[in-house]
Amino acid sequence: MKTKRWLALTVALLMLLVTACSAAPESTTAPEDGAPSGEASTEAPADGGQDSGMEPVTLTVQGNIGGSDYMENGIMEDAVAQYIRENTGISIDLVMLPDSGDSQNRLNAMIAANDLPDVFCINGGDAQLNSLIEGGLIYALDDYIADYAPNLNADNNAQAMMAANRLDAPDGKLYKIGLNKGYWDSAGLGPQRGYYIRWDLYQQLGYPQITTTDELCEVLAQMQALEPQNKSGQPTYAAGAWNNGIPDSILWPQALMMGYSTGPDNILAVDIETREILPTSPLKDTSSYVWQALRWANKLNQLGVFDPDSFTQTYQNYMDKSGAGNYLMTVLTWTAGSANANFIADGTPEKQMICLPSKDFGYKNVTLFDNMVKGERQWVVAKTCETPERAVQLLDFLSSFEFSRIAHDGVIGSNWDMVDGKATIINEDFIGMNEEETIENSLETGARIFRLFCGYASATINPEDGQSVDLLSDAFPLTETHEDFLAHYGKDSMNDVYMDGMNTYTNSTLITWGTLPDELQTYATNLRDYLNQGYVACILAEDDAAFEAQRDELIAGLDAYRVDEMYQFYYDNAMQNDEQLQAVYDLLGE
C-alpha cells in the first residue's frame, strides 16, 4: 500500500507540474466566450467582506491563475476565493485566459479597444507594457503601493521584484506586480531544462560513458535500438522539436546546462556565475552553446533518430509525443514529467526520464534553480478599474507567504494544519491523490486553484518556518529508477547529484535589455525567420562537413540583419541599468 501511495503521489505531482509548465505559443486553447466589461462592480455576494470590515467590491481578473482547464468564468466561490473575500471584502470575477498565442492575440485586441478587465496578466514583454503605458491604459502603482500594500512593503523579495519591474518602464514607475516569485518545484526531477534520458534504457546498456554530446547521441541511438516503438506501436526517436521552436527546444536547454542566461534571440548571453555578458554574440561564436546544441541535433539526425516531424509539428504535437513515450530524450522538465507520469499510470514505473548532471560534460555552472525575481506572472491594473486601491489590496494580499501556502494546499484545516508548531499535511489522501482526485480536492478545498496567482512559487522556502510554501514540494518520493540513479552517482538526493562540482547552480540573473529602436525592429523580425531557416538547414546537414558549411553560411549572413548593432544596443542598455540592478541584488541578499 505504501508503494502504491508513493506512485500515486508521483503521478499527482508530475501532472500538476506538467499543467503548470506546458504552455507555448502554438497552443490553440481559447478562453470561453464573454469578454469582461472592464468596470469594477460594487455588487458582491451577501457575505463578501463580513470579516474584513471593508466595503465589498467585485474585481474582474483575467489570466491563467492556476493552470487548470477545469476553471470556469464568473464569480469564484471555492474555499480559497471565499477566504480572500472574508479577509479583503473582494470577490473575484474570473475570466480565464490560458497561456497561448491565441489568448495573447485576444488580449492585444482588448488593449486596442480599451476593453480591459480590472486586473490582468501580461506576458508580451516590454513592447506590450510600453503600449499600455503610452496609451494611458494602466495605472502607475507607486502611490497605491505606499498606502495599500503592507505585505509587499515588508518583504525584501517583493521590494526586489518591484525595483526590478520599475526598470522595465520607460518612466521608471511601477506598473506591474510580479506574482509567482521564487522557485518552481521540479517534483524531484532536476533542472528546468537539460538532457533528460530514459534512465532505465541507459541502465540496460550498462551505463556507457557520456562525457560529450557526441557520446550522448551515440548512446541515444543504442537506446532507440532497444526500444524502437512505444506502447502504441509508434516509432520512437532520440529527440525532437516543434515548428519555430528550435530556440526553446534545443538552444535554450543547452545554454542552461552550461550556465548561461540567454538574451533576445540568442544575440547575447550572460554567464550566471560572473553575471557578465559574453563579449561575442553566441550566434557568431562557433564554440558557443548555440552551435553545440545544433551540433547534437544534427548528429542525431545523421544517425536517423531525430524526429523528422520536428520542423512542421506544433508544440502540442511535441507535448503529446513526449507524454506518449515517443522520445527517449527530452530537454524540458515538464515533458519529462508528462512521460514519467504516464509510465507510472501504465504500470511501468521503472521507465523514467532523468536528467544527466552538467558535471558529466565538464560544465561548471548550471541553472538548477531559477529565481523568478520579477515574478513568473506579472499583473497590471487597468485605468477602467474604478477602485485601483482595492486592486492593489488584492495583489498585496495574494503576495504573502501565508497566502502562497493556502493557494497551493488549501485553507488551513482542510489538507493541512499546524501540528506542534509545524505546517503539516493532515489529509493523508492529499498526498496520494491521482489526477482526478486532485481536481476533486481542488474544487472542495481550493487547493492548487490559485497556485499561479499568489506571491511565491511552490518550492520557495517560507522564511518564517523554513518549509516550502507548497507542503507537497517536500513530499516527493523516489522511484526505484531514481534510487538507481542515486546509487550510480553515490549521492543521497537528486539535488546532491546536480549541485556536485558546480560553481554556481542558482540563477538570479537580471538584465534590462530594453526595446530595440524602430529602425532595428524590422531587422529583428526578419532575423528570426532567417535564423529558423538556417537552424533547420544545419540540423538536416547530411554530414559534418555539410553542417560546418551551413553554419558558416548562416554566420556570414548575420551582418545583413545588423546583428552587431542589435548586440551593441542591448549591451549598452544593460550596462546603463547595471548599477540599479545591483540594488535589486542587495535586496535579495546576493
Side-chain angles (χ1 to χ4, degrees), residues 318 379 437 457 504:
Y318 177 87
W379 299 79
E437 291 168 337
T504 304

Side-chain angles (χ1 to χ4, degrees), residues 410-423:
V411 294
I412 189 168
S414 58
N415 295 312
W416 69 282
D417 209 334
M418 298 302 296
V419 178
D420 297 328
K422 182 178 180 180

Side-chain angles (χ1 to χ4, degrees), residues 194-246:
Y195 308 135
Y196 284 86
I197 69 170
R198 277 280 301 281
W199 187 263
D200 55 298
L201 295 177
Y202 183 60
Q203 181 184 29
Q204 290 181 43
L205 291 172
Y207 315 103
Q209 173 178 285
I210 301 179
T211 57
T212 67
T213 51
D214 276 359
E215 290 175 349
L216 171 63
C217 293
E218 295 289 348
V219 170
L220 287 168
Q222 296 174 42
M223 291 165 56
Q224 195 271 344
L226 285 179
E227 192 170 300
Q229 296 180 329
N230 69 359
K231 67 167 186 173
S232 300
Q234 299 169 327
T236 59
Y237 299 100
W242 61 88
N243 184 34
N244 295 323
I246 292 174

Side-chain angles (χ1 to χ4, degrees), residues 129-435:
L129 176 67
N130 289 342
S131 69
L132 289 166
I133 296 172
E134 291 169 3
L137 302 180
I138 57 176
Y139 283 101
L141 302 176
D142 302 82
D143 291 342
Y144 296 106
I145 292 294
D147 294 334
Y148 300 103
N151 290 311
L152 293 170
N153 288 322
D155 180 356
N156 278 357
N157 292 305
Q159 291 284 335
M161 173 271 293
M162 292 187 289
N165 282 330
R166 284 187 178 96
L167 295 177
D168 291 341
D171 57 7
K173 294 181 180 180
L174 180 67
Y175 290 90
K176 52 183 180 173
I177 298 297
L179 297 183
N180 222 42
K181 303 183 294 296
Y183 304 95
W184 279 110
D185 171 34
S186 295
L189 287 172
Q192 293 180 353
R193 289 168 175 79
Y195 308 135
Y196 284 86
I197 69 170
R198 277 280 301 281
W199 187 263
D200 55 298
L201 295 177
Y202 183 60
Q203 181 184 29
Q204 290 181 43
L205 291 172
Y207 315 103
Q209 173 178 285
I210 301 179
T211 57
T212 67
T213 51
D214 276 359
E215 290 175 349
L216 171 63
C217 293
E218 295 289 348
V219 170
L220 287 168
Q222 296 174 42
M223 291 165 56
Q224 195 271 344
L226 285 179
E227 192 170 300
Q229 296 180 329
N230 69 359
K231 67 167 186 173
S232 300
Q234 299 169 327
T236 59
Y237 299 100
W242 61 88
N243 184 34
N244 295 323
I246 292 174
D248 284 342
S249 59
I250 296 176
L251 307 188
W252 196 7
Q254 179 77 30
L256 299 187
M257 283 286 286
M258 296 174 67
Y260 297 119
S261 180
T262 59
D265 298 314
N266 294 285
I267 293 171
L268 310 90
V270 181
D271 186 314
I272 69 168
E273 181 182 11
T274 64
R275 289 178 179 156
E276 295 178 351
I277 299 174
L278 301 185
T280 302
S281 170
L283 296 176
K284 291 191 169 186
D285 179 1
T286 58
S287 66
S288 75
Y289 67 86
V290 168
W291 296 107
Q292 290 192 43
L294 291 172
R295 179 68 184 84
W296 65 251
N298 170 253
K299 180 72 171 180
L300 291 177
N301 191 67
Q302 288 187 46
L303 293 170
V305 291
F306 192 77
D307 186 357
D309 295 333
S310 294
F311 313 117
T312 56
Q313 68 183 354
T314 66
Y315 174 78
Q316 190 58 52
N317 293 145
Y318 177 87
M319 279 291 297
D320 292 342
K321 287 183 177 179
S322 297
N326 290 81
Y327 296 137
L328 305 180
M329 180 178 82
T330 181
V331 290
L332 309 176
T333 304
W334 52 95
T335 50
S338 175
N340 289 350
N342 287 330
F343 289 143
I344 292 172
D346 290 339
T348 55
E350 71 281 357
K351 295 183 177 183
Q352 293 285 288
M353 307 287 289
I354 301 180
C355 190
L356 296 172
S358 291
K359 180 182 179 181
D360 286 3
F361 297 87
Y363 307 143
K364 296 300 182 183
N365 305 310
V366 61
T367 299
L368 177 60
F369 307 114
D370 190 3
N371 186 6
M372 300 177 289
V373 178
K374 293 183 179 180
E376 189 262 348
R377 288 166 193 270
Q378 297 166 350
W379 299 79
V380 297
V381 180
K383 281 285 185 71
T384 49
C385 177
E386 296 179 352
T387 55
E389 71 282 358
R390 303 302 296 279
V392 170
Q393 284 179 332
L394 173 65
L395 294 172
D396 179 71
F397 183 77
L398 301 176
S399 294
S400 71
F401 284 100
E402 178 184 2
F403 179 78
S404 297
R405 177 160 292 154
I406 289 172
H408 287 95
D409 298 332
V411 294
I412 189 168
S414 58
N415 295 312
W416 69 282
D417 209 334
M418 298 302 296
V419 178
D420 297 328
K422 182 178 180 180
T424 304
I425 295 174
I426 58 172
N427 177 9
E428 293 185 2
D429 292 335
F430 188 53
I431 298 177
M433 288 179 178
N434 60 34
E435 184 180 8

